Amino acid sequence: MARVVLKDVVKTYGSVYAVNRVSLTVEDGEFVALVGPSGCGKTTTLNLVAGLIPMTSGEVFIGDRDVTDLDPKDRDIAMVFQNYALYPNKSVFNNLAFPLQMRKLAKDEIDKKVRAAAKTLDITHLLERRPRELSGGQQQRVALGRALVRDPRAFLMDEPLSNLDAKLRVQMRTEIKRFHQDLKATIIYVTHDQLEAVTMADKMAVMNGGFLQQYDTPANVFAHPVNMFVASFIGSPAMSLIPVDATTRGDAVVLTSPEGWELPLSAQNTAKARKSSTSKIVLGARHSTVRLHHAPAAGAIPAKVYTVEPTGDITFVQVFIDGAVVNVSVPPNVVIRPDETVYVEFDQDRIHLFDAETTNALAAD
Amino acid sequence: MNTVTGQTRPSSVAEPVRRNLFQSMWTHRADYGYVLPAIVVMLIVIAYPVYYTIDLSFFQTPPGLQLRDKKFIGLENYRAILSSAVFWKVTGNTVMWTISSTVIAFLLGLGCALALHREFIGRGVLRAILLIPWVVSAVAASYVWKWLYHSDFGVIGAALVSFGLAERPPNFIDNINTVLPALIVVNIWREFSFAMIMLMAGLQTVPDQLLRAAQVDGASAWQRFWHVTFPHLRGVSTVTILLLAVANFNSFIIPWIMTGGGPSNASPGQVKRTQRRKPADGWRWAGRIFLAVMLVYTVVPMAWMLITSLKTGFAAMMYPPQWWPAEPTLSNYLRLLDPRDTIGQDFLHYFWNSMFVSISTTILAVVVAVPAAYAFSRFRFPGRNFLFFAVLLRNMFPAVIFLVPLFILMRWLGLVNTHGSLILTYLTFGLPLAIWLLKGFYDNIPIQLEQAARIDGATRLQAFLLVVMPLSTPGIIATAIYSFIGAWNEFIYAATFLNKNEQMTLPVGLQRFFAENTTDWPGLMAASFMMSVPVVVLFLVLQRYFVRALTEGAVKH
Ligand SMILES: Nc1ncnc2c1ncn2[C@@H]1O[C@H](COP(=O)(O)OP(=O)(O)O)[C@@H](O)[C@H]1O
Ligand SMILES: [Mg+2]
């Protein structure tokens, strides 16, 4: 296994930037999830690492080698595709054998390796079948097997689980994770599902519009999103974002709303709010850091209940503050009705403040 | 480590790339290599003659085509031709011929396709038989029908008389009122099954779910056809009608051979399509009856060709005809295959010439079409659409207008009286369909398959040869059959470019043979049969690939 480095990678299609100056280092043995909404450039980035499409500018290193100008076959990587890309006219055995045949291995060695990989993935009984005779989950295993059968320097996976049903997806998630730990494999894993990224990856690279937005451990991305896009993309339900005005009152900054409520900020948050380029600020809060009161309380903001969604062990409540939807979670025994007026209290230590102009997070030095 | 690359910070955006056309073409320069052979062949055989024809149309040439003495006369030629009564009459006839042939062939093809869509025993055989006329050469078909129509010994006339429908065998071809319908019947005989095969492929792509949904919604069989099936067939229908119309507009062999010399007669009455508005079971019966009628229409001429070929010259010229030869003989065939006989020598010569030309054309067509189709499907080079449609347009030009310029070009290339001239020309017949068909295949093969192969250690070429090519095998086989049949049956260019007996191909040889032995109908029928055998056998063996190719490749879109 080896580390993978992207340096200022750019890919344009006509005047469209599919990937825009992305720099990223994936350490040896690391599992990195490349996550972002559809069309943000994840597949393109992965294809650039694989060498499947010509790069507009930038460099790619695998191990210590500059592979920027190498053919995919010389980069020694394995890839799993979203639609599996199994060779339809070859049996499962020959699908797995193909990468080894291309490397001109001896017949008996190919046989041994294919059977070993098939055993790992529990698909030995399928070896003689054609891909179209397999279920989606089985095809997925074969696709993984074709990557596993040789030991490449890195694995690239492009939404490998997105065509599976929910239950199978969870199961395969565990298996891939397990397989990463056993092999100490370097993996770049593309997904549009933030939950998949958060649960599987050592680090996640959040992309949007061709740009790399944030690259950090899932915990850090979750706790310290660098901008409003990352804040709202990671976490489910999404972080609530409320546009407010910041007014200085003495030493403190007070958030004010056209609806009349005010929220004095703590000293630390005041320091953050002062960094904003204008007085327009966006207040962000995750559902678990917001408390609901039935009666007015100090520092609580009046809000109207929109929907109540019990899920069993937790109940999600959506309320309106200034026209913005705010997600709140409450224990299942709390009784709340739609259209009721409630009072929302934010945990000042765990709120996020964003510059409404630049959308970047405001940090206290 | 926190990396923030502000999507919100425009300063970090690299300069927008603005590349001009030339730079873009340069980037894609390798892509042009794939389409180059196809384009070069097309340019030679199409572009030059078109230029030449247009250029020459502004000049007056002295008799004998002394081109050095040509005189510029501007639009005078056009004025002359547009004011000539003959021109308008001929154009009127051509339009009549084109429209009726196209519409009737299409409707008959649609009827067959619908009737054959449902699975039943013998369906495959029936489909194969109905397809045979399409692969028989126009020259052979013309002679067979000419014999059927024969005013003295024709089987159609004799049948009409014996059913009491006519007093004496009518003479259709020499009658100004019946000659056009009689020829149209022959033309439709040859081409309705092309419409059938295209529409059958189209029908297979009609989503079952949609039909079932319509059924649940209470739509009758007719409503399902009208609201679901027919709209779905619009694309295929358009292409089919266009191809038929262009072929008909440019066709020339059937009228030329059938009216050249021999009298005959025709009956278009066999092929009435009955209006049916009965419930589903009625539809099925109507379909069966329709198929039976079409089967008779298809088989009778071929059967009569075979029967005649087993007769002696004397037995063939009897009235009323012998429905079955009293003394069947293989002598007509033995003579054609006898290398000691001069006729046999000639025939075998023509046969091998046709083989050589057809096989060479086929191999070259595949070699040229595959990379071009692949490039048109996969690469995004400037001018791609233009070139693609330029290739497809090839069939729009009537063969006849190219004869002279192509002949001059071939003479200049030193190819006159060589098989090379034919191979080069025939190559361009098959290319449009081949490229269109194969492109459909490549469009349907996910690019990820090739990417997977390249990651698995294959080069671009290996990925193509080992992964993509095998998946387009039906398309390649279909392309090959189509090219082979086209080359095997071609007549006009062969008659123009070659004038040495030892180089002639079968269709020309057949026509020569007839010109010299005007009354040897059994010999002619035997020769027509022998000439049809290779293409018919080839086609029958491989026709399921053809249908698959149409279904999976072209029609899907
Ligand atoms: N071959 C191509 N030609 C033109 N534009 C493309 C091509 N491939 C991708 N794009 C564009 O690049 C952007 C990123 O695409 P992609 O990397 O596939 O996104 P993702 O995998 O994140 O969904 C999209 O806007 C897409 O339309
Ligand atoms: Mg993608």
Side-chain angles (χ1 to χ4, degrees):
Chain A
M1 292 294 150
R3 67 183 211 151
V4 177
V5 180
L6 283 76
K7 263 193 193 155
D8 284 330
V9 169
V10 176
K11 174 69 191 178
T12 58
Y13 288 109
S15 58
V16 177
Y17 278 83
V19 175
N20 207 335
R21 294 218 177 147
V22 167
S23 298
L24 194 70
T25 301
V26 180
E27 295 299 340
D28 189 353
E30 211 165 42
F31 190 131
V32 168
L34 208 53
V35 60
S38 205
C40 72
K42 307 177 297 287
T43 298
T44 309
T45 307
L46 208 63
N47 286 346
L48 289 171
V49 175
L52 291 170
I53 49 177
M55 202 176 319
T56 308
S57 68
E59 290 172 307
V60 177
F61 296 86
I62 296 175
D64 323 317
R65 266 198 316 168
D66 180 352
V67 299
T68 311
D69 296 320
L70 289 187
D71 241 27
K73 72 182 171 63
D74 301 320
R75 297 195 181 195
D76 199 10
I77 37 159
M79 189 156 169
V80 180
F81 294 85
Q82 176 172 6
N83 56 10
Y84 315 135
L86 301 178
Y87 308 123
N89 49 349
K90 292 188 197 294
S91 66
V92 169
F93 182 95
N94 282 325
N95 263 280
L96 297 188
F98 189 75
L100 305 174
Q101 287 163 348
M102 285 294 107
R103 289 185 167 69
K104 307 219 160 40
L105 263 64
K107 244 197 162 80
D108 48 342
E109 198 174 347
I110 291 179
D111 194 74
K112 212 172 68 195
K113 290 199 174 205
V114 168
R115 287 188 192 285
K119 191 150 173 260
T120 319
L121 286 162
D122 199 17
I123 50 172
T124 308
H125 59 294
L126 304 175
L127 282 178
E128 298 315 314
R129 296 214 201 150
R130 293 287 165 107
R132 66 169 170 277
E133 298 160 349
L134 305 179
S135 70
Q138 290 170 330
Q139 291 188 21
Q140 173 57 50
R141 282 168 181 277
V142 177
L144 268 178
R146 196 172 59 189
L148 269 178
V149 73
R150 60 202 173 90
D151 24 33
R153 294 155 75 77
F155 289 93
L156 310 179
M157 305 191 182
D158 190 358
E159 313 216 13
L161 305 185
S162 64
N163 287 357
L164 300 180
D165 61 52
K167 201 171 154 203
L168 213 51
R169 195 151 60 212
V170 174
Q171 184 193 336
M172 287 304 290
R173 209 155 78 187
T174 331
E175 283 195 42
I176 292 181
K177 185 101 203 245
R178 181 79 229 166
F179 144 76
H180 166 243
Q181 288 160 355
D182 291 348
L183 286 181
K184 312 256 180 307
T186 309
I187 298 181
I188 305 181
Y189 183 103
V190 164
T191 176
H192 66 266
D193 178 355
Q194 56 90 24
L195 184 64
E196 225 169 64
V198 171
T199 50
M200 296 171 83
D202 298 327
K203 273 192 187 168
M204 56 201 281
V206 187
M207 286 186 73
N208 191 30
F211 288 98
L212 180 60
Q213 304 284 326
Q214 186 166 10
Y215 181 44
D216 210 330
T217 62
N220 279 344
V221 173
F222 190 82
H224 309 290
V226 296
N227 57 29
M228 282 165 59
F229 169 77
V230 177
S232 58
F233 191 77
I234 307 296
S236 173
M239 181 189 284
S240 316
L241 297 168
I242 310 156
V244 288
D245 285 313
T247 332
T248 308
R249 222 173 266 160
D251 274 351
V253 169
V254 178
L255 300 184
T256 60
S257 122
E259 288 201 346
W261 54 263
E262 294 190 346
L263 182 66
L265 289 179
S266 66
Q268 200 196 7
N269 283 331
T270 295
K272 288 183 186 173
R274 289 225 162 96
K275 295 273 171 55
S276 179
S277 53
T278 66
S279 68
K280 300 276 179 215
I281 282 189
V282 174
L283 165 66
R286 295 206 186 273
H287 65 90
S288 53
T289 66
V290 181
R291 289 184 59 191
L292 284 191
H293 300 278
H294 282 287
I301 297 163
K304 189 146 208 173
V305 176
Y306 183 54
T307 59
V308 181
E309 299 170 356
T311 66
D313 51 359
I314 200 164
T315 296
F316 291 108
V317 181
Q318 289 192 314
V319 303
F320 273 123
I321 298 180
D322 272 11
V325 176
V326 176
N327 290 300
V328 187
S329 55
V330 297
N333 54 355
V334 176
V335 181
I336 291 185
R337 291 198 181 75
D339 295 331
E340 191 179 331
T341 299
V342 290
Y343 299 88
V344 177
E345 184 189 345
F346 294 103
D347 179 349
Q348 289 254 352
D349 293 338
R350 291 158 79 189
I351 59 170
H352 303 260
L353 296 178
F354 301 96
D355 186 329
E357 199 69 23
T358 65
T359 79
N360 286 340
L362 298 168
D365 299 309
Chain B
M1 180 184 77
N2 267 17
T3 313
V4 189
T5 339
Q7 154 225 32
T8 47
R9 277 190 278 163
S11 58
S12 74
V13 177
E15 291 74 45
V17 232
R18 291 226 179 283
R19 282 179 299 171
N20 63 31
L21 181 66
F22 183 75
Q23 280 170 323
S24 170
M25 286 172 75
W26 179 249
T27 323
H28 288 279
R29 62 192 178 279
D31 301 354
Y32 291 103
Y34 290 77
V35 291
L36 197 65
I39 300 299
V40 167
V41 172
M42 289 294 184
L43 272 183
I44 293 177
V45 181
I46 313 296
Y48 174 75
V50 168
Y51 159 76
Y52 181 90
T53 309
I54 294 176
D55 179 56
L56 199 62
S57 73
F58 297 116
F59 289 88
Q60 189 180 39
T61 51
L65 226 65
Q66 293 301 314
L67 296 179
R68 256 162 299 163
D69 304 333
K70 65 184 180 183
K71 213 169 76 197
F72 184 79
I73 53 166
L75 294 172
E76 181 54 31
N77 285 331
Y78 290 95
R79 200 197 59 74
I81 200 163
L82 289 176
S83 60
S84 120
V86 175
F87 171 77
W88 288 111
K89 188 170 175 308
V90 168
T91 306
N93 280 344
T94 308
V95 169
M96 252 313 272
W97 155 272
T98 304
I99 292 179
S100 11
S101 298
T102 306
V103 170
I104 300 173
F106 178 78
L107 290 178
L108 292 179
L110 179 63
C112 289
L114 288 173
L116 283 171
H117 185 53
R118 196 194 300 266
E119 190 80 49
F120 59 84
I121 296 168
R123 182 177 77 145
V125 178
L126 198 55
R127 183 183 72 186
I129 292 176
L130 291 178
L131 276 169
I132 291 179
W134 183 53
V135 297
V136 169
S137 88
V139 173
S142 301
Y143 283 124
V144 169
W145 277 89
K146 193 172 169 142
W147 177 231
L148 287 161
Y149 281 152
H150 200 284
S151 63
D152 298 324
F153 313 112
V155 67
I156 294 174
L160 286 181
V161 171
S162 73
F163 290 139
L165 293 173
E167 296 249 326
R168 30 173 275 115
N171 187 347
F172 286 104
I173 298 264
D174 284 348
N175 182 331
I176 193 90
N177 294 321
T178 50
V179 59
L180 196 56
L183 296 185
I184 289 173
V185 167
V186 182
N187 196 33
I188 292 168
W189 182 76
R190 275 197 72 234
E191 61 188 20
F192 82 87
S193 48
F194 172 69
M196 176 185 89
I197 201 172
M198 292 283 281
L199 291 166
M200 279 184 79
L203 278 177
Q204 284 183 24
T205 63
V206 178
D208 256 359
Q209 270 186 5
L210 223 54
L211 288 172
R212 261 181 247 135
Q215 201 164 8
V216 170
D217 290 344
S220 68
W222 168 255
Q223 286 169 324
R224 287 202 298 276
F225 171 73
W226 187 246
H227 292 291
V228 180
T229 310
F230 196 66
H232 207 85
L233 292 179
R234 199 178 302 151
V236 205
S237 303
T238 312
V239 172
T240 308
I241 289 177
L242 205 73
L243 289 175
L244 284 178
V246 168
N248 287 329
F249 191 76
N250 300 335
S251 70
F252 146 86
I253 294 185
I254 292 176
W256 184 67
I257 287 192
M258 291 202 53
T259 54
S264 316
N265 47 73
S267 151
Q270 294 167 320
V271 284
K272 281 259 164 60
R273 213 167 92 98
T274 41
Q275 275 295 321
R276 318 155 225 151
R277 270 201 211 88
K278 273 170 268 164
D281 211 37
W283 281 100
R284 197 182 300 185
W285 273 106
R288 284 180 191 165
I289 293 167
F290 178 72
L291 280 181
V293 172
M294 292 308 287
L295 191 65
V296 170
Y297 178 37
T298 305
V299 167
V300 163
M302 297 189 289
W304 195 241
M305 164 178 76
L306 258 178
I307 291 171
T308 307
S309 72
L310 297 175
K311 290 178 178 175
T312 60
F314 178 71
M317 300 293 204
M318 295 220 309
Y319 186 85
Q322 290 181 3
W323 300 109
W324 186 252
E327 294 163 33
T329 167
L330 284 176
S331 64
N332 294 309
Y333 291 98
L334 294 178
R335 191 171 48 144
L336 285 175
L337 297 175
D338 184 358
R340 283 161 312 195
D341 189 286
T342 53
I343 289 181
Q345 270 170 13
D346 279 350
F347 182 81
L348 290 175
H349 235 111
Y350 301 153
F351 193 90
W352 292 123
N353 287 341
S354 273
M355 269 292 169
F356 173 74
V357 170
S358 304
I359 290 177
S360 312
T361 305
T362 304
I363 293 173
L364 281 176
V366 170
V367 168
V368 171
V370 164
Y374 182 72
F376 281 128
S377 166
R378 283 286 191 265
F379 305 144
R380 295 284 172 273
F381 48 90
R384 166 175 161 274
N385 285 330
F386 170 77
L387 289 176
F388 184 62
F389 284 106
V391 167
L392 290 193
L393 271 181
R394 187 259 171 267
N395 285 358
M396 302 287 162
F397 298 104
V400 181
I401 66 159
F402 282 0
L403 275 182
V404 174
L406 264 184
F407 181 79
I408 291 171
L409 182 74
M410 291 301 170
R411 198 169 57 186
W412 184 72
L413 291 172
L415 289 176
V416 166
N417 266 323
T418 66
H419 290 147
S421 62
L422 294 189
I423 294 170
L424 184 61
T425 312
Y426 295 170
L427 202 48
T428 64
F429 297 162
L431 280 186
L433 188 96
I435 291 176
W436 180 63
L437 213 65
L438 286 170
K439 178 179 175 291
F441 264 87
Y442 297 133
D443 285 347
N444 285 338
I445 298 175
I447 191 150
Q448 283 84 0
L449 276 185
E450 276 161 78
Q451 297 186 333
R454 292 181 64 201
I455 291 205
D456 285 345
T459 61
R460 243 176 204 284
L461 187 66
Q462 279 175 321
F464 179 72
L465 293 179
L466 299 175
V467 173
V468 178
M469 274 268 276
L471 291 175
S472 64
T473 314
I476 291 174
I477 292 178
T479 300
I481 309 174
Y482 190 80
S483 301
F484 188 92
I485 293 174
W488 183 267
N489 291 338
E490 202 284 326
F491 172 79
I492 305 175
Y493 290 106
T496 310
F497 293 163
L498 308 179
N499 53 35
K500 291 209 182 112
N501 195 41
E502 67 267 21
Q503 280 172 333
M504 273 176 199
T505 52
L506 270 177
V508 185
L510 199 69
Q511 190 256 339
R512 284 283 168 100
F513 175 83
F514 181 73
E516 285 160 21
N517 309 273
T518 342
T519 53
D520 186 6
W521 285 102
L524 189 66
M525 290 301 112
S528 295
F529 177 76
M530 295 288 290
M531 176 176 158
S532 307
V533 165
V535 274
V536 170
V537 168
L538 181 80
F539 189 73
L540 289 186
V541 171
L542 298 176
Q543 49 113 3
R544 67 198 171 90
Y545 290 101
F546 206 85
V547 180
R548 243 186 86 189
L550 286 175
T551 320
E552 290 175 20
V555 174
K556 224 171 198 166
H557 303 274

